[in-house]
Amino acid sequence: MPQTESPQITPILEAARAAARTLATTPTGLKNKALHGIAAALRGSASEILAANAQDLAAGTENGLSAGLLDRLTLDAARIDALADAVLEISLLTDPAGEVVRGSSLPNGVRISQVRVPFGVVGVIYEARPNVTVDIAAIALKSGNAVVLRGGSAAENTNRVLVGLLQAALSQVGLPAACVQTIDPFGRAGATELMQARGHVDVLIPRGSAGLIQAVVTQSTVPVIETGAGVVHIFLDESANLEWAVDIVHNSKVQRPSVCNALETLLVHEAAAARLLPAVLAKLTESGVTLHGDERVRKIYPAAVPATEEDWSTEYMGLELAVAVVDSLDDAIAHIRRYSTGHTESIITNDIVNADRFLGEVDSAAVMVNASTRFTDGGEFGFGAEVGISTQKLHARGPMGLPELTSTKWIVRGSGQVRA
Amino acid sequence: MPQTESPQITPILEAARAAARTLATTPTGLKNKALHGIAAALRGSASEILAANAQDLAAGTENGLSAGLLDRLTLDAARIDALADAVLEISLLTDPAGEVVRGSSLPNGVRISQVRVPFGVVGVIYEARPNVTVDIAAIALKSGNAVVLRGGSAAENTNRVLVGLLQAALSQVGLPAACVQTIDPFGRAGATELMQARGHVDVLIPRGSAGLIQAVVTQSTVPVIETGAGVVHIFLDESANLEWAVDIVHNSKVQRPSVCNALETLLVHEAAAARLLPAVLAKLTESGVTLHGDERVRKIYPAAVPATEEDWSTEYMGLELAVAVVDSLDDAIAHIRRYSTGHTESIITNDIVNADRFLGEVDSAAVMVNASTRFTDGGEFGFGAEVGISTQKLHARGPMGLPELTSTKWIVRGSGQVRA
């Protein structure tokens, strides 16, 4: 593996492997003690964190980052508190390492059991979201994995401070600081090495824009878990409850438009369009949402601007929404199959048959009935925090928490048995 | 994805996707009916299969295939019967699709459940093992997946006959023949397209030599599950029972030397080498095993030829074995960490502390105490048959049966809830 022989990040990967071997046999109690130290450090050093974050925000504004990206980059006292709370929540969760998934005795008396074990070394490549640094470090620590982080340069100052706090908290309880490392100083070359470090990195998780994920997927020789990109749909069925439609569409689009579970395309059954669209879209307009509608939408709601083909596959990550009228549930499912990134889709309906068809035939990480798409989230699902939301089918799908950062091994106990 | 726009295999992939959508909603009973038809067709057409296999064997002998490869390629009446039995066994297993993995009610009353769903379209690239064609087709069918197969050219005649039988049996029960397709006629170009068919193929499984797997891993943009390559170790601890050592080592090496769970390297504690090696190695010699020993081994058993550095990382797949004396359990674990491919390792010991250390510290898909390494097998584990043995940590590790060919999706049921 010539790439991994490079002098650049090899020492970091070797330190990560050594740290991972230590973590694999570290009792849960000590890992929890480290998590409490991390939470305390976050609250105790809030001003230091915010100062570094202010630098990044200033630079980001200067470099013309979008409102969505700036929101993802922003930390404030409340968000730091929420981060510390998430870390404490993770300390309360069951340690997945050592969990017996299944087991049996074979006819010959050999006993087999499948047991959860940490991956070992987890690489994460993400964009300018400082909260990801803490979430992932905490989840990796609790699940017994060492992490090598490559954050976006736009968050470089914030992440440097955060990683420093994390490493100090680890050392304080006698765990290797190398359980959490950053390769940001190595720039793009470091990221490329990380993607090629097969055998040194057990799994690589890209978290961010579709472009970032595509780049990692195509360049990486390390097994990858894809996350994030979400062209999220809601379908308002003929029988949809008006109040639910208004509230769920508004919440899905407006509550936090910059994240991957936010609504991007609204589909409406033609038989319900006139009944539902005026109120649903008016509430969005009140909140400053730009609507991209097809012709039938604009007949009902002329304020919508004409939608282009591109709109149906766009993840706006802001206060914009594509809206189309469809003839049937089948057309809605066909539209979703064509344009969805397989993240989250929701149907608003009172028809149990249509609900079950939607749940069964839409092939996405999360499929919903009469609920906001914003619920596809590790915290909401009770995972404490999340590594990301997997939109691939391999290993993990949907919000990834602690068990999703483990592998398994088969333990086989015999008493001299041989195969006949 | 320009490659997937190629006229070559795109129609096959589209047919596979359509077949996968049908399979996803096909009742288990009908899938089982198809499996019974397949088993009957195998037995009923044994002579046709053996005639095609004889052509492949003749060509293989002419092309100088190794004894191990010829063994993998060989079908006979007994192996065809065993294949049919495996298919029937799969029909008796629980259908993994629809299994609820976990679920809960969130504080706000939203109900979430994680349900197993088929991957969709599974690609398999393997070498000249006709049994793989049937095993994988049956497991994929039962788990609701369409498969696109790329077998080794050395088995081309056998596989053509087998795929024809499979498709006829599928059609007979009204299932799409495209549930099982081969791209062998497209040669290497077809295989390359398959590896690049991201979005059209949900998971790609290479099954065969380390070279094949490495090629797929580095070229594929489709998520891959690595299988197979096994530099398998047994460590004879100081307290090893002599009879168990003799029988387990012999069985692990000799019972079927051409497969990936066969023993390749034997390590012996120096304090037990003189007690154990003469009998253990003599029985191997009787069976025609060539022994590659280090100096300390050759002092005790001069018949061994000198081992080279290369031997420690060689998967012989034949009647050869590398043998080394180590000073301690720690040295044995260090040797395994350095040279193992993470497939299967076994310790022969009466010492419970050493057994637990070996099970805990050796990071392989299967770790064993006092059992033959040949037990790492889907059939032995009760999976009915196996897609292969995963040696990666992502998604599946060890023998892969039905559940390993599924993904999951989150079903979220609300009654108007929005996120606060």
Side-chain angles (χ1 to χ4, degrees):
Chain A
M1 292 171 284
Q3 302 95 329
T4 61
E5 300 314 327
S6 149
Q8 282 227 343
I9 71 169
T10 303
I12 286 177
L13 297 179
E14 285 166 352
R17 178 63 63 193
R21 291 203 168 126
T22 302
L23 274 179
T25 56
T26 297
T28 308
L30 182 54
K31 292 188 285 186
N32 288 340
K33 199 173 159 199
L35 290 169
H36 283 88
I38 289 167
L42 288 169
R43 297 197 220 270
S45 309
S47 57
E48 191 188 341
I49 298 167
L50 291 178
N53 190 237
Q55 293 179 340
D56 289 331
L57 285 169
T61 313
E62 203 166 290
N63 302 333
L65 287 191
S66 74
L69 290 177
L70 284 173
D71 172 61
R72 286 163 171 241
L73 175 57
T74 302
L75 290 180
D76 55 29
R79 285 188 181 177
I80 291 176
D81 254 351
L83 270 178
D85 290 342
V87 172
L88 293 180
E89 210 175 323
I90 290 165
S91 76
L92 298 174
L93 297 174
T94 304
D95 187 341
E99 182 197 341
V100 177
V101 178
R102 53 181 166 161
S104 62
S105 285
L106 305 184
N108 56 17
V110 168
R111 291 161 293 144
I112 65 174
S113 59
Q114 186 181 33
V115 177
R116 284 199 187 284
V117 295
F119 273 124
V121 176
V122 175
V124 185
I125 300 181
Y126 54 109
E127 285 166 342
R129 295 185 65 177
N131 62 305
V132 173
T133 306
V134 175
D135 284 354
I136 287 186
I139 293 176
L141 174 61
K142 181 67 181 253
S143 54
N145 294 287
V147 278
V148 178
L149 303 169
R150 158 65 173 165
S153 52
E156 210 167 350
N157 294 298
T158 315
N159 284 336
R160 189 181 54 253
V161 170
L162 289 173
V163 170
L165 291 173
L166 292 162
Q167 293 184 327
L170 286 161
S171 306
Q172 208 148 26
V173 299
L175 285 173
C179 293
V180 179
Q181 298 179 94
T182 174
I183 57 167
D184 286 350
F186 297 95
R188 290 186 154 282
T192 305
E193 272 186 70
L194 189 66
M195 291 187 265
Q196 299 292 328
R198 187 170 184 81
H200 299 255
V201 177
D202 296 299
V203 59
L204 186 59
I205 302 171
R207 184 166 165 177
S209 69
L212 169 79
I213 290 159
Q214 189 57 27
V216 172
V217 161
T218 48
Q219 292 173 51
S220 179
T221 58
V222 173
V224 170
I225 301 178
E226 262 189 87
T227 71
V231 176
V232 170
H233 297 75
I234 287 179
F235 172 54
L236 303 180
D237 194 19
E238 182 169 1
S239 63
N241 173 305
L242 173 61
E243 193 185 324
W244 290 0
V246 170
D247 294 344
I248 290 172
V249 169
H250 186 267
N251 183 257
S252 299
K253 175 74 263 184
V254 174
Q255 197 235 0
R256 195 168 179 194
S258 67
V259 292
C260 62
N261 57 20
L263 178 65
E264 305 295 4
T265 297
L266 175 66
L267 304 172
V268 190
H269 193 290
E270 55 94 14
R275 177 175 64 90
L276 299 172
L277 280 183
V280 168
L281 300 185
K283 183 160 182 181
L284 293 171
T285 303
E286 283 167 29
S287 300
V289 177
T290 301
L291 302 167
H292 303 260
D294 68 5
E295 281 183 15
R296 287 192 285 183
V297 168
R298 298 182 64 240
K299 280 213 187 72
I300 295 167
Y301 198 80
V305 303
T308 66
E309 171 62 25
E310 203 190 348
D311 284 306
W312 310 123
S313 46
T314 299
E315 186 177 15
Y316 297 110
M317 311 225 104
L319 290 175
E320 294 187 74
L321 181 69
V323 189
V325 171
V326 294
D327 293 333
S328 63
L329 172 62
D330 289 299
D331 288 358
I333 292 173
H335 179 106
I336 289 168
R337 280 186 176 160
R338 178 160 176 201
Y339 295 106
S340 171
T341 55
H343 188 296
T344 299
E345 333 293 340
S346 185
I347 182 174
I348 314 301
T349 188
N350 285 342
D351 184 314
I352 195 167
V353 173
N354 289 357
D356 287 342
R357 274 199 60 204
F358 189 89
L359 295 176
E361 295 177 31
V362 172
D363 186 23
S364 297
V367 284
M368 304 182 167
V369 179
N370 297 330
S372 169
T373 60
R374 292 275 295 117
F375 285 121
T376 305
D377 174 86
E380 292 292 318
F381 276 18
F383 297 174
E386 67 183 24
V387 183
I389 295 176
S390 168
T391 51
Q392 75 178 35
K393 293 181 179 177
L394 201 69
H395 184 73
R397 199 174 187 204
M400 294 187 288
L402 292 175
E404 288 72 23
L405 269 196
T406 62
S407 182
T408 59
K409 82 207 261 191
W410 284 95
I411 306 287
V412 178
R413 296 174 184 273
S415 48
Q417 286 89 342
V418 298
R419 187 161 165 186
Chain B
M1 294 172 287
Q3 301 94 328
T4 62
E5 301 314 327
S6 147
Q8 282 227 340
I9 72 167
T10 303
I12 285 178
L13 297 180
E14 284 166 352
R17 177 64 62 193
R21 291 202 169 125
T22 302
L23 274 180
T25 55
T26 298
T28 308
L30 183 55
K31 293 188 286 187
N32 288 340
K33 198 174 161 200
L35 290 169
H36 283 88
I38 289 167
L42 288 168
R43 294 195 222 270
S45 309
S47 57
E48 191 188 343
I49 298 167
L50 291 178
N53 189 238
Q55 294 180 338
D56 290 329
L57 286 169
T61 313
E62 202 166 288
N63 302 332
L65 288 191
S66 73
L69 290 177
L70 284 172
D71 172 59
R72 288 164 168 239
L73 175 56
T74 302
L75 289 180
D76 55 28
R79 286 188 182 179
I80 290 175
D81 252 352
L83 271 177
D85 290 341
V87 172
L88 292 179
E89 207 174 326
I90 291 164
S91 75
L92 297 173
L93 297 173
T94 305
D95 188 341
E99 181 197 342
V100 177
V101 179
R102 53 179 166 161
S104 62
S105 285
L106 305 184
N108 56 17
V110 168
R111 291 161 292 142
I112 65 174
S113 59
Q114 186 181 31
V115 177
R116 285 198 187 283
V117 294
F119 273 124
V121 177
V122 175
V124 185
I125 299 182
Y126 54 108
E127 286 167 342
R129 295 184 64 175
N131 63 305
V132 173
T133 307
V134 176
D135 283 355
I136 287 186
I139 294 177
L141 174 61
K142 180 67 181 252
S143 54
N145 293 289
V147 278
V148 178
L149 303 169
R150 158 64 174 165
S153 52
E156 210 167 348
N157 293 298
T158 314
N159 285 336
R160 189 181 56 251
V161 171
L162 289 173
V163 170
L165 291 173
L166 292 162
Q167 293 185 328
L170 286 161
S171 305
Q172 207 148 26
V173 299
L175 285 173
C179 293
V180 179
Q181 299 179 94
T182 175
I183 58 167
D184 285 352
F186 297 95
R188 291 187 156 281
T192 306
E193 271 185 70
L194 189 67
M195 291 188 264
Q196 298 294 327
R198 186 169 186 82
H200 299 255
V201 177
D202 296 299
V203 59
L204 186 59
I205 301 172
R207 183 166 165 176
S209 68
L212 168 78
I213 291 159
Q214 188 57 26
V216 172
V217 161
T218 49
Q219 292 172 51
S220 178
T221 58
V222 174
V224 169
I225 301 179
E226 261 188 87
T227 69
V231 176
V232 170
H233 297 75
I234 288 179
F235 172 54
L236 303 179
D237 193 18
E238 182 170 0
S239 63
N241 173 304
L242 173 61
E243 192 184 325
W244 290 0
V246 170
D247 294 345
I248 290 173
V249 169
H250 186 268
N251 184 256
S252 299
K253 175 76 262 184
V254 173
Q255 197 235 2
R256 195 167 180 195
S258 65
V259 292
C260 61
N261 58 19
L263 178 65
E264 305 294 4
T265 297
L266 176 66
L267 304 173
V268 190
H269 193 292
E270 55 92 14
R275 176 173 68 89
L276 300 172
L277 281 183
V280 168
L281 300 185
K283 184 161 182 182
L284 293 170
T285 302
E286 283 167 28
S287 300
V289 177
T290 303
L291 301 167
H292 303 259
D294 68 6
E295 279 182 16
R296 286 192 284 183
V297 168
R298 298 183 64 237
K299 280 212 188 73
I300 296 168
Y301 198 81
V305 302
T308 65
E309 171 62 24
E310 202 190 347
D311 285 305
W312 310 124
S313 47
T314 299
E315 186 178 15
Y316 297 110
M317 311 222 103
L319 289 174
E320 294 186 75
L321 181 69
V323 189
V325 172
V326 294
D327 294 333
S328 63
L329 172 62
D330 288 298
D331 288 359
I333 291 173
H335 180 104
I336 289 167
R337 280 185 177 162
R338 178 160 176 201
Y339 295 106
S340 171
T341 54
H343 188 296
T344 299
E345 333 293 339
S346 185
I347 182 173
I348 314 302
T349 188
N350 285 341
D351 183 314
I352 196 168
V353 174
N354 288 358
D356 287 341
R357 275 200 58 203
F358 189 88
L359 294 177
E361 295 178 32
V362 172
D363 187 23
S364 297
V367 285
M368 305 183 165
V369 178
N370 297 329
S372 169
T373 60
R374 292 274 296 118
F375 285 121
T376 305
D377 174 86
E380 293 292 318
F381 277 18
F383 296 172
E386 67 183 24
V387 184
I389 295 176
S390 168
T391 51
Q392 75 178 34
K393 293 182 180 177
L394 202 68
H395 183 72
R397 199 175 187 202
M400 294 187 288
L402 293 175
E404 288 71 24
L405 268 197
T406 62
S407 181
T408 59
K409 82 207 267 191
W410 284 96
I411 305 286
V412 178
R413 297 174 183 273
S415 48
Q417 286 89 341
V418 298
R419 187 162 165 186

